[in-house]
Amino acid sequence: GKFPAQGQSLGGILRAGPTQSSPKVISTAEGDEMIILSRGPMWDGYNWFRVDVRGRQGFQWGGIMCSNAPMAGILQQCQP
């Protein structure tokens, strides 16, 4: 996939860094629109991605995201 790209959160936490222990920026709800800015490190089968959600930037794990176009490291393509 090319960046920036459109996607959605499937719910979860936007974090300050690409780890589960990084501080929380905001909570995301299922269906929150996001701009996927770049790919980060792989963790547990999916990549972390730097994203913008509601004007806040941080990292979300690809296992709880979908992308509008096919993209490696993300759980699934968003349903129209």
Side-chain angles (χ1 to χ4, degrees):
K2 295 181 181 176
F3 302 102
Q6 297 292 319
Q8 293 178 19
S9 175
L10 302 176
I13 297 173
L14 188 69
R15 297 196 176 273
T19 67
Q20 268 198 310
S21 59
S22 293
K24 175 181 169 177
V25 176
I26 57 170
S27 292
T28 60
E30 185 171 351
D32 275 354
E33 298 283 333
M34 61 174 50
I35 301 168
I36 305 167
L37 302 170
S38 62
R39 186 185 328 273
M42 176 77 71
W43 180 73
D44 202 21
Y46 298 98
N47 288 92
W48 286 90
F49 289 86
R50 189 168 66 88
V51 299
D52 184 302
V53 180
R54 301 189 305 266
R56 303 291 299 271
Q57 286 192 17
F59 289 83
Q60 186 145 2
W61 182 57
I64 52 173
M65 292 169 55
C66 65
S67 55
N68 289 7
M71 185 174 291
I74 284 184
L75 177 65
Q76 63 191 28
Q77 194 168 342
C78 300
Q79 300 304 311

